[in-house]
Amino acid sequence: MYKSEKKSVCILGATGSIGESSLSVISKHPDAFSVYALSANENADKMFALCKQYKPEFAVMADADAAAVLQDLLTHAMSGTQVLAGSGALDQIAAHDDVDIIIAAIVGAAGLSSTMAAATAGKKILLANKESLVIAGQYLLEAVRNNNAELIPLDSEHNAIFQCHPVAHQARRLGQADASVRKILLTASGGPFLHRPLDTFDTITVDQACAHPRWSMGRKISVDSATMMNKGLELIEACLLFGVAPEQVQVVIHPQSIVHSMVEYIDGSILAQLGSTDMRIPISYGLGFPQRISSGTQAMDIFKIAQLDFMPPCSDRFPALELARLAASDAKVLPTVMNAANEVCVDAFLHKRINFLQVAQIVKTVMQEMRSASVASLHDILDLDADARVATSKHLPANI
Ligand code: NAD
Ligand code: MG
């Protein structure tokens, strides 16, 4: 049983896939956690339903029009939830004195500012929003360390690595190298196109790209999984979180998605975390850490796992992975450029403006164009992110 005092939780990105899984775990532990604040971008109806169910003190809509709609709905329902609007309100709520735990589950670079605010305010951060780490990892980890914040990765692979890596549990050690680690074995399902003939990739549809064989997720990360840019972002994420060089991260295709990643040590031991493909497992681990709490997931029947396969990825099939390796070796400019270009291209693919192959092609072109940019501060990184979005949009066909 969970014995600590009740913790108040703020979920940034509450209407998304991670938000939903987080609320499901929290609902199972009403004596341990309360929902203090929820945020979303523009889906006022879904936020209204969540407010009725979880009765948070605050509901923040990034979009001002959506906030006005939500306010109307809540006023009619005589709800006590206060509505706030805009990205400044996201930062405010992430740093609020009454909040203990932040679940950072906004998709894309839009999550950076609120995640930084939570780190600066010394919160316990459960980080799903990998993009903020990829673009500003050094600054985010510094803010975590300097303000005695705590960061637990929710990304299933990094949560698995964290679970297999006791040194990373020590306060202030996250992001620092550990000489006893030889390699990180970062597993990947291979996505929906692991076996699709390469000469048909230009006809991949949005629905096909969003239909992940193992995980149910938001649309952006689903497309990233199909291109394997997701694994590329995760490679950079692993380097930052666990202080390893890109060459120490081996991507391993593991189609069953049972082993969520492994850590190989210098003595030859390999530690792995296994489990079903259900984000409630890493979320419950993060919420309860250092204790374990129930996640609501059904126990996995080890006898039903007929086979576990592991193979190296094929770079012809997944050029995005090589782009990420290049970005990881640069560490400063290219991860931000790659992420921004990818966000713009994935959005263009989802809106049927470019085909599947063009995503990695355009990202590569923008990385080549902008590789000599320089950054010396977080402010520069935000400017670089904006510039890379403009540069990318120049490669897209005109809006119809
Ligand atoms: P999603 O699209 O389902 O949800 C995204 C959430 O972010 C929504 O609540 C949306 O309202 C909010 N949002 C979107 N744009 C916003 C903006 N501009 N300002 C403020 N809020 C905004 O996405 P998801 O699948 O839940 O993923 C969220 C994050 O978690 C991503 O960074 C993703 O890479 C990461 N992640 C997700 C999974 C998964 O299983 N879904 C696994 C690992 C990591
Ligand atoms: Mg992942």
Side-chain angles (χ1 to χ4, degrees):
M1 208 181 88
Y2 194 82
K3 293 205 187 74
S4 174
E5 68 186 60
K6 197 159 169 166
K7 298 278 193 286
S8 96
V9 183
C10 164
I11 306 181
L12 302 170
T15 52
S17 163
I18 292 288
E20 193 179 323
S21 298
S22 302
L23 286 165
S24 160
V25 177
I26 288 170
S27 306
K28 283 187 65 66
H29 302 278
D31 298 335
F33 306 106
S34 64
V35 176
Y36 188 78
L38 298 175
S39 92
N41 192 21
E42 51 189 10
N43 191 340
D45 290 335
K46 189 155 184 191
M47 181 58 105
F48 178 56
L50 294 181
C51 288
K52 279 200 294 188
Q53 188 175 355
Y54 295 101
K55 301 182 176 49
E57 298 294 319
F58 291 98
V60 185
M61 300 303 292
D63 181 83
D65 295 338
V69 174
L70 178 67
Q71 181 66 73
D72 272 358
L73 291 167
L74 289 172
T75 306
H76 276 100
M78 297 202 290
S79 157
T81 298
Q82 285 185 54
V83 179
L84 303 175
S87 59
L90 290 173
D91 299 358
Q92 203 184 318
I93 213 71
H96 199 289
D97 279 349
D98 294 343
V99 171
D100 301 306
I101 301 175
I102 303 291
I103 301 188
I106 291 175
V107 59
L112 174 60
S113 180
S114 49
T115 308
M116 279 298 292
T120 308
K123 302 296 182 191
K124 172 172 175 175
I125 304 167
L126 309 189
L127 185 75
N129 175 230
K130 66 190 87 186
E131 295 91 346
S132 62
L133 194 61
V134 167
I135 64 184
Q138 180 202 336
Y139 299 97
L140 183 56
L141 292 177
E142 250 171 47
V144 167
R145 281 195 289 271
N146 293 344
N147 298 288
N148 289 320
E150 195 181 356
L151 190 150
I152 299 178
L154 289 190
D155 215 346
S156 58
E157 297 77 1
H158 306 77
N159 190 273
I161 297 162
F162 187 85
Q163 292 195 40
C164 299
H165 194 334
V167 170
H169 296 179
Q170 295 165 22
R172 306 180 65 80
R173 283 300 303 265
L174 204 65
Q176 310 290 311
D178 171 6
S180 69
V181 172
R182 185 188 285 156
K183 255 193 208 167
I184 300 281
L185 301 163
L186 187 69
T187 55
S189 71
F193 307 132
L194 186 57
H195 303 294
R196 182 176 172 126
L198 267 175
D199 60 1
T200 67
F201 269 39
D202 58 342
T203 61
I204 286 171
T205 66
V206 169
D207 286 347
Q208 287 168 343
C210 287
H212 196 278
R214 302 278 168 199
W215 295 92
S216 158
M217 309 179 286
R219 281 156 70 82
K220 192 261 177 183
I221 185 177
S222 295
V223 176
D224 283 349
S225 300
T227 60
M228 278 193 79
M229 179 57 89
N230 182 51
K231 211 48 56 182
L233 296 172
E234 290 183 358
L235 188 156
I236 299 172
E237 191 184 3
C239 293
L240 287 160
L241 286 174
F242 304 108
V244 290
E247 309 76 61
Q248 287 175 282
V249 183
Q250 170 69 61
V251 175
V252 179
I253 302 283
H254 167 48
Q256 294 88 359
S257 298
I258 299 282
V259 175
H260 293 302
S261 279
M262 301 173 256
V263 183
E264 182 180 325
Y265 288 91
I266 48 171
D267 62 1
S269 297
I270 296 180
L271 302 194
Q273 185 257 352
L274 284 70
S276 53
T277 48
D278 189 328
M279 287 306 290
R280 290 178 299 172
I281 297 175
I283 291 167
S284 61
Y285 180 85
L287 281 169
F289 184 80
Q291 298 179 49
R292 299 247 176 199
I293 61 172
S294 69
S295 65
T297 314
Q298 281 212 326
M300 195 173 66
D301 184 348
I302 199 87
F303 297 111
K304 283 200 177 137
I305 306 169
Q307 199 177 323
L308 296 176
D309 295 311
F310 302 103
M311 51 198 139
C314 158
S315 55
D316 291 354
R317 190 166 281 275
F318 301 117
L321 203 46
E322 291 311 306
L323 296 179
R325 240 183 224 289
L326 178 69
S329 62
D330 162 272
K332 280 210 160 89
V333 170
L334 287 183
T336 306
V337 172
M338 182 187 78
N339 180 70
N342 182 58
E343 285 191 30
V344 173
C345 287
V346 170
D347 187 65
F349 171 71
L350 287 171
H351 288 91
K352 303 185 179 161
R353 292 177 65 195
I354 57 173
N355 73 34
F356 186 80
L357 287 172
Q358 287 175 293
V359 174
Q361 284 164 1
I362 298 175
V363 172
K364 182 176 181 182
T365 304
V366 177
M367 285 170 71
Q368 280 164 348
E369 283 171 7
M370 298 191 66
R371 62 178 314 155
S372 56
S374 65
V375 285
S377 66
L378 183 57
H379 189 268
D380 290 349
I381 285 189
L382 299 178
D383 285 347
L384 182 66
D385 173 86
D387 292 347
R389 284 167 201 269
V390 173
T392 310
S393 63
K394 291 185 180 149
H395 294 282
L396 301 179
N399 254 325
I400 311 147

